[in-house]
Structure formats: C-alpha cells, structure tokens
Amino acid sequence: MKSLFSENRLANILSVLRKSSVMSLDSLASLMGVSERTVRNDIKEINSHLKECAVIELEQGKCSLRIFNGRDFQSSYTQLLETQDLMNSSSIRKKYIFGK
C-alpha cells in the first residue's frame, strides 16, 4: 500500500477524503501541492474509476466522499493505489521527457 506522500495523486486524494468527511477544495489542493483546477480534474478522473460504487461530490468549494457499495469501493480504491500514473509522477515524467 502506498503512503500519502507517494506520487500517486489520485490515490492520495481518495485516501485523504476517506479520512475526512468533508474537506475544502483549496485545502486539498494545498495538501497535494497543485492548483484547485488540477484537483477538480483529478476528482473527475477518480469518479470515472469509482463508477457507481462511490462518488466524490464537489459543492460550494467542499469535497466529500460518498460510498454506496463498500466492497466495490475497496476494489476500486485498491486498483488506484496500485496504479502508477505517468502524468502524476514528476520523477517518471522527467525520465520520460529526457528519454525522448
């Protein structure tokens, strides 16, 4: 299992929202070290991974995680934890760019 400080930002966002019932968008962006727009885009991507087992709702600058099916959510969460997304990893991104 990856730690909160890994480079898998999608899993990190989901981990934070699992622990906090509600978090402001600006706090989440600061914690991740990215812009609010980036967090909004990440939330859209996370929601597409979660399908219908859970959803991250964003309303009036507040983010909250609603889980509808615990077993399917855990499976989706585990997949996100194990995924190393190239565009979310600065070190892998650098290696890719310099490799080209």
Side-chain angles (χ1 to χ4, degrees), residues 9 16-17 24 29 39 57 67 73 78 88 92 97 99:
R9 193 173 59 242
V16 168
L17 291 175
S24 69
V39 172
E57 296 177 329
I67 300 171
F73 170 77
T78 301
N88 283 339
I92 291 176
I97 291 169

mmCIF file of all heavy atoms in Angstrom, residues 9 16-17 24 29 39 57 67 73 78 88 92 97 99:
data_model
loop_
_atom_site.group_PDB
_atom_site.id
_atom_site.type_symbol
_atom_site.label_atom_id
_atom_site.label_comp_id
_atom_site.label_asym_id
_atom_site.label_seq_id
_atom_site.Cartn_x
_atom_site.Cartn_y
_atom_site.Cartn_z
ATOM 1 N N ARG A 9 -1.206 10.811 -7.039
ATOM 2 C CA ARG A 9 -2.081 11.864 -6.506
ATOM 3 C C ARG A 9 -3.537 11.428 -6.420
ATOM 4 O O ARG A 9 -4.232 11.767 -5.466
ATOM 5 C CB ARG A 9 -1.937 13.126 -7.346
ATOM 6 C CG ARG A 9 -2.556 14.350 -6.706
ATOM 7 C CD ARG A 9 -2.266 15.633 -7.459
ATOM 8 N NE ARG A 9 -2.735 15.592 -8.818
ATOM 9 C CZ ARG A 9 -1.959 15.693 -9.892
ATOM 10 N NH1 ARG A 9 -0.667 15.836 -9.766
ATOM 11 N NH2 ARG A 9 -2.467 15.653 -11.107
ATOM 12 N N VAL A 16 -7.155 10.833 1.525
ATOM 13 C CA VAL A 16 -7.475 11.974 2.389
ATOM 14 C C VAL A 16 -8.972 12.073 2.609
ATOM 15 O O VAL A 16 -9.442 12.271 3.737
ATOM 16 C CB VAL A 16 -6.924 13.292 1.773
ATOM 17 C CG1 VAL A 16 -7.486 14.499 2.470
ATOM 18 C CG2 VAL A 16 -5.408 13.300 1.835
ATOM 19 N N LEU A 17 -9.748 11.897 1.541
ATOM 20 C CA LEU A 17 -11.202 12.020 1.666
ATOM 21 C C LEU A 17 -11.824 10.843 2.412
ATOM 22 O O LEU A 17 -12.896 10.985 2.985
ATOM 23 C CB LEU A 17 -11.844 12.203 0.292
ATOM 24 C CG LEU A 17 -11.536 13.537 -0.370
ATOM 25 C CD1 LEU A 17 -12.104 13.594 -1.778
ATOM 26 C CD2 LEU A 17 -12.060 14.696 0.468
ATOM 27 N N SER A 24 -12.196 21.236 2.232
ATOM 28 C CA SER A 24 -12.321 22.304 1.246
ATOM 29 C C SER A 24 -11.412 22.017 0.057
ATOM 30 O O SER A 24 -10.358 21.387 0.195
ATOM 31 C CB SER A 24 -11.983 23.663 1.861
ATOM 32 O OG SER A 24 -10.614 23.742 2.151
ATOM 33 N N ALA A 29 -6.101 21.067 -2.448
ATOM 34 C CA ALA A 29 -5.111 21.496 -3.450
ATOM 35 C C ALA A 29 -3.776 21.825 -2.779
ATOM 36 O O ALA A 29 -2.713 21.431 -3.269
ATOM 37 C CB ALA A 29 -5.636 22.703 -4.229
ATOM 38 N N VAL A 39 -7.049 19.597 -8.989
ATOM 39 C CA VAL A 39 -7.815 18.730 -8.087
ATOM 40 C C VAL A 39 -9.190 18.439 -8.685
ATOM 41 O O VAL A 39 -9.672 17.309 -8.636
ATOM 42 C CB VAL A 39 -7.932 19.342 -6.672
ATOM 43 C CG1 VAL A 39 -8.883 18.531 -5.806
ATOM 44 C CG2 VAL A 39 -6.565 19.432 -6.020
ATOM 45 N N GLU A 57 -18.182 14.200 -4.249
ATOM 46 C CA GLU A 57 -19.036 15.335 -4.578
ATOM 47 C C GLU A 57 -18.281 16.621 -4.294
ATOM 48 O O GLU A 57 -17.557 16.723 -3.311
ATOM 49 C CB GLU A 57 -20.319 15.281 -3.760
ATOM 50 C CG GLU A 57 -21.172 14.072 -4.080
ATOM 51 C CD GLU A 57 -22.402 13.975 -3.222
ATOM 52 O OE1 GLU A 57 -22.372 14.429 -2.050
ATOM 53 O OE2 GLU A 57 -23.402 13.416 -3.717
ATOM 54 N N ILE A 67 -19.839 6.762 -0.271
ATOM 55 C CA ILE A 67 -19.631 5.369 -0.672
ATOM 56 C C ILE A 67 -20.979 4.665 -0.673
ATOM 57 O O ILE A 67 -21.698 4.689 0.321
ATOM 58 C CB ILE A 67 -18.645 4.660 0.277
ATOM 59 C CG1 ILE A 67 -17.297 5.382 0.244
ATOM 60 C CG2 ILE A 67 -18.499 3.187 -0.104
ATOM 61 C CD1 ILE A 67 -16.309 4.904 1.291
ATOM 62 N N PHE A 73 -16.153 -0.408 -3.754
ATOM 63 C CA PHE A 73 -15.302 0.753 -3.496
ATOM 64 C C PHE A 73 -13.898 0.308 -3.108
ATOM 65 O O PHE A 73 -12.913 0.832 -3.609
ATOM 66 C CB PHE A 73 -15.884 1.642 -2.397
ATOM 67 C CG PHE A 73 -14.922 2.711 -1.948
ATOM 68 C CD1 PHE A 73 -14.725 3.840 -2.723
ATOM 69 C CD2 PHE A 73 -14.184 2.557 -0.791
ATOM 70 C CE1 PHE A 73 -13.813 4.818 -2.339
ATOM 71 C CE2 PHE A 73 -13.272 3.519 -0.396
ATOM 72 C CZ PHE A 73 -13.100 4.650 -1.169
ATOM 73 N N THR A 78 -8.237 -0.032 -4.165
ATOM 74 C CA THR A 78 -7.025 -0.843 -4.252
ATOM 75 C C THR A 78 -6.389 -0.722 -5.631
ATOM 76 O O THR A 78 -5.165 -0.593 -5.747
ATOM 77 C CB THR A 78 -7.337 -2.319 -3.934
ATOM 78 O OG1 THR A 78 -7.885 -2.391 -2.609
ATOM 79 C CG2 THR A 78 -6.100 -3.187 -4.017
ATOM 80 N N ASN A 88 1.153 11.691 -13.265
ATOM 81 C CA ASN A 88 1.104 12.144 -11.881
ATOM 82 C C ASN A 88 2.444 12.002 -11.171
ATOM 83 O O ASN A 88 2.587 12.409 -10.034
ATOM 84 C CB ASN A 88 0.043 11.366 -11.094
ATOM 85 C CG ASN A 88 -1.338 11.863 -11.402
ATOM 86 O OD1 ASN A 88 -1.513 12.977 -11.873
ATOM 87 N ND2 ASN A 88 -2.321 11.036 -11.141
ATOM 88 N N ILE A 92 8.964 10.101 -12.903
ATOM 89 C CA ILE A 92 8.764 9.284 -14.102
ATOM 90 C C ILE A 92 8.564 10.184 -15.315
ATOM 91 O O ILE A 92 9.061 9.903 -16.401
ATOM 92 C CB ILE A 92 7.586 8.311 -13.919
ATOM 93 C CG1 ILE A 92 7.964 7.246 -12.895
ATOM 94 C CG2 ILE A 92 7.199 7.657 -15.245
ATOM 95 C CD1 ILE A 92 6.873 6.284 -12.543
ATOM 96 N N ILE A 97 10.596 12.367 -20.431
ATOM 97 C CA ILE A 97 10.958 13.519 -21.261
ATOM 98 C C ILE A 97 12.426 13.462 -21.665
ATOM 99 O O ILE A 97 12.773 13.625 -22.829
ATOM 100 C CB ILE A 97 10.648 14.849 -20.540
ATOM 101 C CG1 ILE A 97 9.132 15.033 -20.441
ATOM 102 C CG2 ILE A 97 11.282 16.028 -21.261
ATOM 103 C CD1 ILE A 97 8.708 16.159 -19.536
ATOM 104 N N GLY A 99 14.280 10.861 -21.736
ATOM 105 C CA GLY A 99 14.477 9.675 -22.559
ATOM 106 C C GLY A 99 14.152 9.926 -24.010
ATOM 107 O O GLY A 99 14.704 9.297 -24.911
#
